[in-house]
Amino acid sequence: MSLAIVAILSAGWTHQDTVFHIITSAQTPNLLLSLILWVMLHTISPYFTVFLFRSIGHPISYQNAFLIHNIRLPAKYIPGGIWHTAARATDYYKLGLPPQDVGIYLVLENIIQLIVTFTLGSLIVISFVNTLALKTMLATILFGSLTTLILIPFALRYFYQNTLRPINLPRYFITIAISSCYWIIASISFALFLSAFPELTFELSYIEVGGTYMLSWAVGYIAIFAPQGIGVSEFVFSTIVPGNIQTTGLIAFIATFRVLALAGDMCAWLVAVLMTKIKS
């Protein structure tokens, strides 16, 4: 992670004049809309939790899911990249949920969001890339992702037939739909962020940019050597989507979206803290 940060900072320093020129052209309304959408994501995530837990037979209230998700947001930024998940797991245990089922939930949570981003991202990117090898790879990823989504309920039934209730298929597919909505909104937030800088232009539409964001996030997510995909996601995006600045400068600039995401996370965290104070 430290190497990725150093690389991004080095790229930013090398292209500081270009990056600074782009940043100073920022249009506040688009940045504000991007931030609002990012904060909205933290009202959608609890629905994912509610329906996924209910799909494996455990009712959990939206309020509990909302507070657990948002109160623990600062843990995302502890080095290691796993502490938001670990902290939420502890809170789910405190609600009386069985450890095995919490573990299954966390595995499914990670698999579903990875598959959804690969699926949506691949569907969009495959429509505009011209390289046959890349198209073939994306088609393979798309097929594998959709197959995995279908097989998950049957795999759970096979491996946990004596200890886990059969997964509720309608709620399972609602969970996937919620995750899809989440990532579509996240990609719109990212596209709005880029549109706030008129000095930065791309050869693609913002729909294609949003699709590339989802695909690059997924690639960064599986890069276990880079927590939160830092550096990896930016590199993949900048490779697929050419801009009007050099690739290394674009990598450094794209990384600034993480600052907006941090601001959105902290806004959601503050709302959850205030709710907790009022509740107590």
Side-chain angles (χ1 to χ4, degrees):
M1 181 177 179
S2 58
L3 289 176
I5 294 174
V6 169
I8 290 174
L9 291 175
S10 175
W13 179 260
T14 302
H15 300 277
Q16 56 182 301
D17 292 338
T18 301
V19 173
F20 180 76
H21 179 66
I22 292 173
I23 290 176
T24 54
S25 71
Q27 298 176 343
T28 304
N30 287 23
L31 284 177
L32 185 59
L33 282 173
S34 176
L35 178 64
I36 290 171
L37 286 180
W38 195 265
V39 175
M40 281 179 55
L41 294 176
H42 298 300
T43 67
I44 297 173
S45 286
Y47 282 113
F48 178 93
T49 300
V50 168
F51 277 93
L52 187 53
F53 264 125
R54 289 182 178 179
S55 74
I56 57 175
H58 296 292
I60 179 174
S61 71
Y62 176 84
Q63 184 180 46
N64 281 335
F66 177 88
L67 290 176
I68 288 173
H69 172 80
N70 289 293
I71 285 291
R72 298 302 186 181
L73 280 173
K76 284 175 60 177
Y77 299 95
I78 299 174
I82 64 168
W83 301 112
H84 184 239
T85 299
R88 288 185 296 119
T90 301
D91 291 333
Y92 296 142
Y93 296 151
K94 290 179 180 178
L95 291 178
L97 297 173
Q100 174 189 272
D101 293 2
V102 171
I104 291 172
Y105 163 83
L106 294 175
V107 171
L108 288 178
E109 176 187 66
N110 285 278
I111 291 175
I112 290 173
Q113 67 177 341
L114 184 62
I115 289 176
V116 165
T117 48
F118 264 132
T119 300
L120 295 177
S122 296
L123 274 173
I124 294 173
V125 174
I126 204 172
S127 69
F128 68 81
V129 294
N130 297 317
T131 308
L132 179 59
L134 184 55
K135 278 183 176 288
T136 303
M137 182 181 70
L138 291 174
T140 303
I141 291 172
L142 187 57
F143 175 78
S145 297
L146 293 174
T147 302
T148 303
L149 279 180
I150 294 170
L151 291 179
I152 282 175
F154 302 101
L156 285 177
R157 183 174 298 182
Y158 178 78
F159 289 107
Y160 297 98
Q161 55 184 327
N162 297 322
T163 57
L164 186 70
R165 300 176 190 175
I167 193 166
N168 183 293
L169 290 179
R171 289 172 179 169
Y172 170 73
F173 286 110
I174 289 173
T175 302
I176 293 171
I178 292 170
S179 182
S180 299
C181 289
Y182 176 100
W183 284 106
I184 289 170
I185 293 172
S187 66
I188 294 172
S189 174
F190 179 74
L192 278 170
F193 172 79
L194 294 185
S195 71
F197 303 95
E199 295 298 320
L200 181 65
T201 58
F202 299 99
E203 299 176 6
L204 303 174
S205 70
Y206 282 110
I207 292 177
E208 293 167 333
V209 166
T212 309
Y213 167 75
M214 287 187 277
L215 181 63
S216 61
W217 182 92
V219 175
Y221 192 75
I222 62 175
I224 58 175
F225 57 86
Q228 297 190 38
I230 187 166
V232 177
S233 296
E234 288 82 359
F235 174 78
V236 172
F237 180 89
S238 302
T239 301
I240 297 175
V241 182
N244 61 334
I245 62 175
Q246 292 183 19
T247 300
T248 50
L250 183 58
I251 290 172
F253 176 76
I254 295 300
T256 62
F257 180 65
R258 293 181 183 270
V259 178
L260 182 138
L262 170 61
D265 289 350
M266 292 305 100
C267 287
W269 172 73
L270 284 173
V271 170
V273 170
L274 289 174
M275 287 179 61
T276 303
K277 295 292 184 182
I278 293 171
K279 187 179 178 181
S280 62

